[in-house]
């Protein structure tokens, strides 16, 4: 039933999984490249949020993300790096809100 409720998100998750499986890169390097690409295309916060789980699963740290943004800054320019930083912060804030809401819902269902 979950697939029927979120077909677009499910399709994007499938694409990400296939990308990780079929790439010649190690999963960690693949996710670093994806983060760099997100900054290069001025991706919205939702795109960062969508990739955050996979990035964390393969060991990407905030220091790695900072390093990637610094590395691509001369190529993509200051405005894109500033936007990427803001979008990353928005994605993190959304993730925290979602986690809190899920914990609250679980607590209410137990009580």
């Amino acid at each position: 039933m979950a697939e029927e409720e979120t077909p677009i998100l499910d399709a994007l998750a499938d694409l990400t999984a296939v990308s990780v499986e079929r790439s010649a890169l190690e999963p960690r390097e693949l996710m670093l490249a994806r983060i760099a690409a997100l900054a290069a295309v001025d991706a919205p916060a939702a795109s960062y949020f969508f990739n955050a789980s996979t990035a964390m699963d393969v060991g990407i740290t905030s220091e790695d993300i900072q390093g990637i943004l610094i590395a691509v800054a001369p190529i993509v320019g200051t405005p894109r790096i500033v936007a990427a930083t803001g979008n990353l912060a928005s994605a993190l804030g959304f993730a925290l809100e979602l986690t809190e809401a899920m914990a609250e819902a679980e607590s209410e269902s137990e009580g």
Side-chain angles (χ1 to χ4, degrees):
M1 181 102 172
E3 282 187 46
E4 294 173 10
E5 294 175 14
T6 59
I8 295 171
L9 292 177
D10 294 339
L12 292 173
D14 291 345
L15 288 171
T16 299
V18 168
S19 175
V20 170
E21 289 172 16
R22 294 190 180 173
S23 175
L25 296 173
E26 292 296 319
R28 182 177 174 356
E29 284 70 31
L30 177 73
M31 290 312 298
L32 289 171
R34 288 177 69 105
I35 292 166
L38 290 171
V41 300
D42 199 16
S47 294
Y48 288 96
F49 176 76
F50 188 76
N51 285 278
S53 172
T54 305
M56 289 188 308
D57 288 348
V58 299
I60 303 296
T61 65
S62 60
E63 290 81 15
D64 293 327
I65 293 170
Q66 289 174 359
I68 287 298
L69 294 179
I70 291 167
V72 301
I75 307 299
V76 302
T78 302
R80 294 263 168 119
I81 297 304
V82 171
T85 303
N87 289 333
L88 280 161
S90 294
L92 178 59
F94 179 74
L96 292 173
E97 287 178 24
L98 182 61
T99 301
E100 289 172 4
M102 290 172 63
E104 184 177 309
E106 184 177 313
S107 174
E108 288 175 2
S109 70
E110 292 175 357

